[in-house]
Amino acid sequence: MSKKPFHYELKNQVSGGAEIMMYGYIGKYDEFDYKRFQQVFRDALSAHNDLTIRMHCGGGSVYEGLAIYDLIMNSEKHTKVIVEGMAASMGGVIALAGDEIEMNENAFFMMHAVTSGCFGNKNDFKNGIQQIENCEQRLGKIFGERTKADEQTIKNWFDSGQDHWLSSDKCLELGICDRVIKPTKKRKNQEEAESITNKTPEEAFECFNLYPDEPPEDNNINQHTEMKKEAIFSALAAEGLAGKLTALSSDKEFEQRLEELFAKAKRTDTLENELKEFKVSQAEVLISAALRSGKITGAEKEEWKNDAIENYALVAKSLERMSGKPDPNAGLERQKPVIDGDKHELLNGREKWTFSQWQEKDPKGLERLNEEAKEEFEKLFNAEFED
């Protein structure tokens, strides 16, 4: 039997709770094995209603671990597992037996292929391989029953030949744990980060005064933000703007990310201004045509124009349905410059232009087309805005 210490402590006896600390490795010659664990486990639950198992385990024997897993699973009393450092390999399997599973924020689960040793003839080796495969099938079933991981993900944990370390957040996502325990203490800059999570990115950037009136010659951003990096990262992450940054990223990476965001913000402002100018131009053409046709008065022009800037399609449809004042020249035949038969000269080479393209590329030409080729103008308009 192992001489290494096995930790057990009764706690909260009034409320009926006990704790077992599983710190170390699983095996007959390690910190805990099934024989010692089951005795401590049964003693704890014989006098207490609830049990908490605090785990920092690096794994160990598959068979010892499965026996401990079954022991916990077969207990009718409530068991909570708290992973404090890591639940690796068989330690993770044992953790999955808990009725509740909690993880410290910086704790990890680790899954990998079963390993074994073998000595003997070829049949011995074949039997060894079969034994490993049987163990992996059993463990895979446990993972499948307790987690949200799909079959291919679980299979990859065994077949990839790698150790798969899963953070507490990933474990929460996969249903491996039920809750992540956050640190209770807060640093000053963490408190500052929380106070800006409701700000826009622009407001958050302003909070930190990243560059003084005269930037230092080496442009070392962290001369002024060394205590602010965590707050900056929290602000960016809250808005989905952190990109590849982490709290451990270098000063240069922080600086590059902020410069990228500033550049994108400038490009966005430019595009917004161009869009606004286009909307104004588009509205002016539409309202001018409505004014000439008598559908609106000069006094109403600005109000209609503002509405058209906000919602061009709705205003255009409304004006289309309105009747205007009689045209005194309605019976007169106007001379129309013609090219290629009865096609207006402005349409030459522009046959595929839409009404919107006319507004964007040649608004004055569109206005002229409205005056000189009313039918063509209406065809363009109806093709785009008619129901």
Side-chain angles (χ1 to χ4, degrees), residues 3-235:
K3 300 298 183 181
K4 293 185 178 180
F6 179 74
H7 300 285
Y8 169 63
E9 176 186 348
L10 295 180
K11 191 175 182 181
N12 300 327
Q13 297 186 42
V14 175
S15 63
E19 279 192 355
I20 296 177
M21 277 77 83
M22 296 183 71
Y23 298 156
Y25 292 84
I26 309 162
K28 292 182 179 180
Y29 304 102
D30 290 302
E31 281 78 7
F32 51 93
D33 58 6
Y34 174 69
K35 182 176 181 180
R36 287 195 296 169
F37 181 89
Q38 63 87 24
Q39 187 61 56
V40 170
F41 183 84
R42 297 181 196 280
D43 289 346
L45 291 185
S46 66
H48 301 84
N49 296 323
D50 298 299
L51 173 67
T52 297
I53 299 176
R54 294 187 174 274
M55 177 173 289
H56 177 48
C57 176
S61 168
V62 172
Y63 300 110
E64 298 286 326
L66 285 174
I68 293 172
Y69 172 88
D70 288 337
L71 176 70
I72 298 171
M73 287 291 291
N74 290 326
S75 171
E76 295 181 357
K77 295 188 178 181
H78 187 272
T79 303
K80 177 194 288 187
V81 175
I82 300 176
V83 181
E84 296 183 337
M86 66 177 171
S89 192
M90 283 309 297
V93 176
I94 293 174
L96 293 178
D99 298 298
E100 292 180 70
I101 305 172
E102 298 181 352
M103 291 182 70
N104 285 347
E105 185 176 34
N106 295 313
F108 285 85
F109 258 70
M110 189 271 278
M111 289 77 163
H112 62 182
V114 173
T115 58
S116 179
C118 185
F119 178 81
N121 58 37
K122 62 183 179 181
N123 289 325
D124 294 323
F125 279 86
K126 288 179 181 179
N127 291 334
I129 293 172
Q130 184 62 54
Q131 189 177 19
I132 289 175
E133 290 177 344
N134 290 339
C135 288
E136 290 182 345
Q137 288 175 5
R138 181 64 256 175
L139 299 182
K141 186 174 182 181
I142 292 174
F143 291 141
E145 291 172 348
R146 182 58 176 84
T147 76
K148 298 177 183 177
D150 57 46
E151 184 178 349
Q152 184 56 46
T153 297
I154 296 172
K155 188 174 186 298
N156 187 55
W157 289 341
F158 295 124
D159 294 346
S160 66
Q162 299 176 340
D163 293 340
H164 295 269
W165 293 93
L166 307 183
S167 68
S168 58
D169 289 337
K170 187 64 176 178
C171 288
L172 187 63
E173 176 186 333
L174 291 175
I176 292 173
C177 70
D178 304 303
R179 187 172 76 90
V180 174
I181 303 171
K182 302 288 185 179
T184 55
K185 287 186 178 181
K186 295 182 179 179
R187 297 174 181 168
K188 182 178 179 181
N189 54 333
Q190 286 180 316
E191 294 172 353
E192 291 174 349
E194 288 187 0
S195 70
I196 64 171
T197 53
N198 292 325
K199 296 182 181 294
T200 65
E202 292 79 7
E203 290 170 338
F205 296 152
E206 288 295 325
C207 289
F208 301 118
N209 187 24
L210 299 181
Y211 294 99
D213 294 336
E214 295 183 3
E217 291 183 3
D218 60 359
N219 201 28
N220 186 348
I221 192 171
N222 262 357
Q223 287 186 5
H224 308 281
T225 61
E226 184 174 359
M227 298 302 293
K228 304 283 189 177
K229 282 176 63 176
E230 189 169 345
I232 294 173
F233 175 73
S234 297

Side-chain angles (χ1 to χ4, degrees), residues 335-377:
Q335 183 177 1
K336 301 179 182 179
V338 176
I339 293 179
D340 295 337
D342 60 352
K343 184 169 63 177
H344 193 281
E345 63 177 357
L346 287 172
L347 295 171
N348 190 36
R350 302 177 178 182
E351 293 85 352
K352 295 184 179 180
W353 279 21
T354 64
F355 191 87
S356 295
Q357 287 175 316
W358 274 95
Q359 289 177 311
E360 178 182 357
K361 299 178 180 179
D362 189 5
K364 290 184 178 180
L366 183 63
E367 186 175 347
R368 182 182 162 197
L369 196 64
N370 184 34
E371 294 175 352
E372 300 177 0
K374 195 75 174 179
E375 291 183 2
E376 297 292 345
F377 178 88

